[in-house]
Amino acid sequence: MSNENDIITPGMQDYINRNNSYLAKRSQYIQDEVKKWKFDTIAVHGLYSVTDAINDYQGSIIEPIFMSTSQAYRDSDEMAAALAYKIPTWCYSRIANPSTYYYEWTLALLEGYGFDGETTCCSTSSGMAAIMTAVQPFLHVYNTPAEPRNFVATAQCYGGTFQQFSIRLMQERNIECRWVLDATNLDEWNSKIDENTRFLYGELPSNPQLSFFDIKAVADLAHSHEIPLICDSTIATPALLRPISHGADIVVQSVTKSLTSSGFGIAGAVIARKNLTSKFSDDELKEDFALNVKLLQNRDFGPNLHPLQAVMSLNDMRTIRSKMDLMSRSTMKIARSLNSHPQVESVQYLGLPDHPQHELASKYMWLVDAEYDELYNKPVNRYGHLMSFCVKGGAEKTRGVFDNLKRIWRATDLGRIKSVATIPAISTHQQQGEEGRKKAGIPANMIRLCVGAEHPDDILADLDQALNAAK
Ligand SMILES: *Cc1c(COP(=O)(O)O)cnc(C)c1O
């Protein structure tokens, strides 16, 4: 990120040397210690160490919340070095901040758990900002008039993603989004790629249909065209799935959802492998994508995460593994039970053997470190806490069931510690119209349920009374 023509004074060089030695020590610490920890230890500590706390933060055991807009410098040399990005500082909180720094490192390390390369992270103000941050750098125009540009994405995706791709990119900027209708069909992916395809994009498991695809096969396909694979892995969280270790180049997370689960606000993240594949990008972008978009693109667009939100979200993420285990087990119990309920037409859950992608998901979705867990002592599949079911009797009856829920909250939210339900056709997927919903497989009698950490029997009882009460 440096410019060769920059003048470097001896004073600046001192700062640069000091920082280079700090960065070298940090790499060593990550390599020698942090990378050897189990997942839970990384989730609890991240890069925030006792040494950091004692030396810099008055011994505070929780990462400090720096609500300040900017940082002061010792002298002009330090300022010049910082603003030329020769040293990593937090010149201005739109660009970097110590609180978001720890949030970013925890997420980079969790998504990179079990992967032997390096990963870095750029925090964003939301999951949607993460998606924008991740795709934007691949959409450069090289010629006037602009050459045709396209990208290939799974049609089964979050409603907001559908809007961003089809309205903001396709309609407003003439960048073609080629939707893959059956993401398990590699030929379909392949047939949509040409020399103007900038990247492949896949959400898995998708919200709300829980469709899945073969990450490794799609990543190999992307790389054979020298383009990256970007995955939205929000529904799984790194506790159940880490796409980068299967070949994906970039992961986007809506940290708002299961990663935090408390419901205290919106947050997002882009996590990328170092040295990713992209024939449309320069070496600096490929070398450290997340740092590059953080310091350049997002400096200019400004979709930064608030430091208070960063530490609140970070605090929630410390228990992600045990929460995802508990909520996945409860969801399995509820899905099985609803599957034989007389008022239920069908249940969609990746954990059920009759889900079309059950086998594929079983290849990829594992509770991290179950083999080191005394309860299990072996790898165990976990499928997350999002499921949906279709009610017998059509759209009106479905609204009746929904309106009769007492314990389960009616909200267009998911990933919560409290069970939450919605009817996608009239909420999250309302904007895309009947045609779009058909493409994405969202019938009007579908209720999306995200199971929280309550006792599953209480949730089942609520569902049962609602299903039986509705006319
Ligand atoms: C919610 C969600 C998003 C968007 O995240 P926000 O934090 O709400 O901006 C993106 N992808 C998936 C799968 C989601 O569920």
Side-chain angles (χ1 to χ4, degrees):
M1 243 129 315
S2 51
N3 181 340
E4 277 159 37
N5 301 322
D6 288 346
I7 295 161
I8 298 181
T9 64
M12 283 169 78
Q13 193 58 51
D14 276 351
Y15 283 110
I16 294 169
N17 293 345
R18 241 181 286 168
N19 272 281
N20 286 347
S21 99
Y22 166 77
L23 288 181
K25 260 192 229 146
R26 185 180 73 184
S27 294
Q28 202 70 43
Y29 175 64
I30 293 171
Q31 228 38 59
D32 295 350
E33 303 212 23
V34 183
K35 277 280 195 180
K36 292 182 180 150
W37 293 341
K38 300 283 187 292
F39 187 90
D40 279 341
T41 310
I42 295 172
V44 169
H45 290 272
L47 270 202
Y48 188 65
S49 65
V50 175
T51 317
D52 282 8
I54 300 288
N55 288 349
D56 298 328
Y57 305 119
Q58 318 255 352
S60 168
I61 67 164
I62 299 299
E63 296 80 354
I65 299 167
F66 275 83
M67 299 273 282
S68 178
T69 46
S70 56
Q71 174 187 23
Y73 297 104
R74 291 170 182 83
D75 52 31
S76 61
D77 284 328
E78 190 181 23
M79 181 185 269
L83 275 293
Y85 290 151
K86 305 268 184 213
I87 57 174
T89 50
W90 57 287
C91 42
Y92 191 59
S93 271
R94 167 156 40 76
I95 303 164
N97 172 285
S99 303
T100 56
Y101 171 88
Y102 289 112
Y103 166 100
E104 284 165 347
W105 269 106
T106 297
L107 279 159
L109 292 162
L110 293 182
E111 283 293 348
Y113 186 71
F115 169 62
D116 53 16
E118 286 180 76
T119 46
T120 54
C121 170
C122 170
S123 57
T124 59
S125 55
S126 68
M128 291 320 300
I131 295 169
M132 185 209 65
T133 298
V135 305
Q136 196 62 36
F138 301 112
L139 300 176
H140 285 285
V141 169
Y142 294 97
N143 302 301
T144 19
E147 63 279 14
R149 288 163 293 164
N150 72 71
F151 59 98
V152 179
T154 51
Q156 303 207 322
C157 64
Y158 177 65
T161 309
F162 184 88
Q163 292 293 110
Q164 184 176 122
F165 289 175
S166 57
I167 311 278
R168 304 304 150 208
L169 295 182
M170 198 140 63
Q171 280 181 30
E172 291 183 356
R173 291 175 56 198
N174 200 28
I175 301 163
E176 187 189 358
C177 175
R178 298 179 172 171
W179 296 110
V180 171
L181 301 185
D182 176 6
T184 60
N185 182 350
L186 218 56
D187 291 335
E188 191 185 342
W189 284 95
N190 197 25
S191 70
K192 296 195 163 146
I193 303 171
D194 62 23
E195 71 280 7
N196 299 313
T197 302
R198 299 299 179 90
F199 59 86
L200 306 186
Y201 184 97
E203 181 174 317
L204 83 169
S206 72
N207 168 10
Q209 317 85 337
L210 300 171
S211 61
F212 210 87
F213 60 85
D214 191 332
I215 308 171
K216 184 167 184 314
V218 175
D220 288 347
L221 177 67
H223 297 158
S224 74
H225 293 272
E226 275 183 81
I227 53 175
L229 170 64
I230 304 172
C231 289
D232 181 337
S233 180
T234 297
I235 302 304
T237 82
L240 305 184
L241 175 68
R242 292 170 303 288
I244 289 175
S245 63
H246 301 294
D249 297 273
I250 298 170
V251 167
V252 293
Q253 284 286 353
S254 168
V255 178
T256 316
K257 306 290 171 51
S258 306
L259 262 168
T260 48
S261 77
S262 64
F264 281 152
I266 307 287
V270 175
I271 301 100
R273 66 165 71 221
K274 288 259 193 97
N275 302 308
L276 55 74
T277 303
S278 168
K279 66 180 172 191
F280 292 103
S281 307
D282 62 34
D283 289 343
E284 284 202 338
L285 185 77
K286 287 189 287 190
E287 200 269 317
D288 192 339
F289 180 86
L291 185 67
N292 201 280
V293 292
K294 181 178 165 62
L295 296 183
L296 301 176
Q297 170 183 282
N298 284 11
R299 170 196 64 193
D300 304 338
F301 282 142
N304 59 302
L305 180 62
H306 192 280
L308 174 61
Q309 186 64 55
V311 175
M312 290 211 302
S313 301
L314 183 58
N315 210 35
D316 271 340
M317 293 191 287
R318 301 188 214 273
T319 49
I320 184 64
R321 193 188 73 92
S322 41
K323 277 190 295 199
M324 288 308 280
D325 183 23
L326 173 71
M327 297 192 293
S328 298
R329 280 189 286 135
S330 297
T331 312
M332 187 64 135
K333 179 170 187 185
I334 290 164
R336 278 199 185 119
S337 174
L338 284 185
N339 215 13
S340 56
H341 197 286
Q343 305 299 326
V344 171
E345 181 183 284
S346 61
V347 177
Q348 294 78 43
Y349 184 53
L350 280 173
L352 295 179
D354 64 356
H355 190 285
Q357 274 105 61
H358 172 73
E359 231 171 278
L360 194 52
S362 303
K363 209 170 116 186
Y364 285 105
M365 294 187 72
W366 299 93
L367 175 66
V368 66
D369 287 348
E371 59 272 39
Y372 307 115
D373 189 316
E374 269 183 80
L375 286 177
Y376 304 121
N377 284 312
K378 63 176 192 328
V380 294
N381 283 118
R382 288 287 178 262
Y383 302 93
H385 59 141
L386 183 65
M387 57 167 286
S388 54
F389 60 97
C390 294
V391 177
K392 270 186 198 159
E396 211 171 310
K397 167 83 182 293
T398 305
R399 286 170 90 132
V401 173
F402 187 67
D403 292 343
N404 276 314
L405 294 171
K406 295 192 162 59
R407 200 93 316 103
I408 300 168
W409 300 78
R410 283 172 289 276
T412 58
D413 201 358
L414 63 91
R416 299 282 79 92
I417 197 88
K418 298 179 178 187
S419 292
V420 168
T422 188
I423 300 177
I426 59 165
S427 58
T428 52
H429 290 68
Q430 177 265 327
Q431 301 150 321
Q432 64 199 68
E434 189 125 10
E435 197 51 37
R437 281 197 293 277
K438 203 178 256 173
K439 221 182 252 174
I442 316 275
N445 65 335
M446 177 190 267
I447 293 182
R448 184 186 77 184
L449 174 66
C450 195
V451 177
E454 305 94 341
H455 195 285
D457 291 351
D458 293 328
I459 295 308
L460 266 175
D462 192 23
L463 288 164
D464 187 53
Q465 66 77 24
L467 283 160
N468 292 330
K471 287 174 203 69

